[in-house]
Amino acid sequence: MKTIAIVSSVGGAGRTTLTTALAGLLAAREHVALAAECDPRNVLALHFGLRENAREGLVTHLAGGPGAGDAWSRAALQSDDGVLVLPWGSLADGHASDDPRDDDASALLDARPGWLRELLARVDLPAQTIALVDAGTWPSAHARQAIDAADLVLGVLTPCATACATLPRLIAALVRAQKRSVFVANAVVPARQLHMDVVALLRARLGAAMLPYLVHADTGVPAALAAGENFCLSAPSSQAAHDLHGIASWLSHWSTGASLDAPDELLAQHVARGSTP
Ligand SMILES: Nc1ncnc2c1ncn2[C@@H]1O[C@H](COP(=O)(O)OP(=O)(O)OP(=O)(O)O)[C@@H](O)[C@H]1O
Ligand SMILES: [Mg+2]
């Protein structure tokens, strides 16, 4: 199994949207696709059309300790588009605590580095499975677990100043973790000069680590979420669906070990230069 962590250094960048859409597109390409949520928001199942928050999930296993056995697999759901979905779940029942950190299990995650990597290594799925992990906003205990578990990190960038300002620290952390990383800009409006300027800057700084695709902004994306629909199926001819197909195709090739650009060195050079995109 190949694991891809979907990461961003700002909230609302589109991590869950991309995790959901890409998992559906990879499943349509005959991959076994697993979408796992390492984010206490616990909304991944909602993006796959489930109307209620998932109660069981990865956190159920985490809180249960070694005796929890295959509790996580009981929590797995099958989406209409053929994706195996592992929500984060909830600790709300029976874990009342005055410590707010317990609500999102950060303390448990920090106490068990490598927990998600080890859990995914035990998942009994075919070798060609692609696991997409929707990570909590970096930096966080959840994002660290997702990055640690990843064979590839897909960084999601919004064309805004905050994303640019926080990117160097994220890149430095990925280089330290020795993770192969690629980036994609999401929710881009080409008519906005600022968006295109930021994308050009990111391309210049990140080189081949910036995928040759960007995902255009489309009002159909939040509308599909509200309607419980799969965006790429409900608007197959849209530019954004076309963009997502391009990224899914790149990931599919990468997972088969096809020779693609090696962005790691470029990232390392970026850190060495100490440059800020
Ligand atoms: N390409 C896009 N075009 C238009 N809207 C988008 C696009 N991508 C994401 N959105 C919308 O932006 C919002 C945030 O997206 P999403 O929840 O996927 O981000 P996130 O990074 O997972 O956020 P969070 O930090 O809350 O987990 C959602 O309402 C989503 O529908
Ligand atoms: Mg999210």
Side-chain angles (χ1 to χ4, degrees):
M1 182 163 74
K2 293 273 172 51
T3 301
I4 302 167
I6 317 289
V7 170
S8 75
S9 55
V10 295
R15 297 184 311 276
T16 311
T17 300
L18 262 61
T19 302
T20 310
L22 294 172
L25 292 172
L26 288 167
R29 284 167 188 265
E30 317 279 303
H31 287 281
V32 177
L34 171 69
E37 181 176 32
C38 194
D39 187 339
R41 281 183 181 278
N42 192 31
V43 293
L44 184 63
L46 181 77
H47 280 249
F48 277 100
L50 205 81
R51 291 290 94 183
E52 285 179 28
N53 283 344
R55 290 181 60 183
E56 280 198 46
L58 283 175
V59 74
T60 322
H61 184 273
L62 176 68
D70 65 347
W72 63 270
S73 63
R74 285 200 308 271
L77 311 159
Q78 184 84 34
S79 76
D80 288 346
D81 51 357
V83 177
L84 192 61
V85 184
L86 257 178
W88 180 249
S90 166
L91 273 182
D93 297 335
H95 284 84
S97 164
D98 291 336
D99 186 342
R101 285 174 307 172
D102 287 350
D103 285 343
D104 69 7
S106 292
L108 281 172
L109 288 172
D110 278 338
R112 298 176 64 182
W115 162 77
L116 183 61
R117 175 169 33 86
E118 288 157 21
L119 187 147
L120 290 175
R122 292 200 302 275
V123 170
D124 188 17
L125 287 171
Q128 76 272 25
T129 300
I130 300 182
L132 295 170
V133 182
D134 177 15
T137 307
W138 184 91
S140 64
H142 300 74
R144 281 192 292 277
Q145 288 276 346
I147 290 169
D148 172 76
D151 301 300
L152 177 76
V153 173
L154 176 62
V156 184
L157 302 166
T158 41
C160 71
T162 316
C164 290
T166 53
L167 184 60
R169 271 184 70 206
L170 171 59
I171 291 174
L174 295 174
V175 170
R176 267 199 311 278
Q178 299 187 309
K179 293 295 171 180
R180 182 169 189 192
S181 308
V182 290
F183 294 83
V184 66
N186 180 43
V188 178
V189 181
R192 286 198 198 146
Q193 190 60 45
L194 174 69
H195 282 203
M196 297 323 285
D197 288 349
V198 170
V199 168
L201 204 60
L202 290 168
R203 283 210 174 109
R205 293 294 189 198
L206 293 169
M210 190 83 178
L211 290 185
Y213 312 96
L214 50 77
V215 183
H216 288 76
D218 190 320
T219 52
V221 172
L225 173 62
E229 291 170 1
N230 176 319
F231 169 72
C232 287
L233 293 181
S234 61
S237 341
S238 63
Q239 179 63 55
H242 179 77
D243 303 333
L244 289 160
H245 271 282
I247 300 167
S249 174
W250 192 95
L251 295 177
S252 177
H253 275 83
W254 165 82
S255 75
T256 59
S259 169
L260 296 162
D261 292 333
D264 310 42
E265 283 176 24
L266 287 149
L267 274 189
Q269 286 165 17
H270 171 88
V271 173
R273 281 201 306 268
S275 48
T276 306

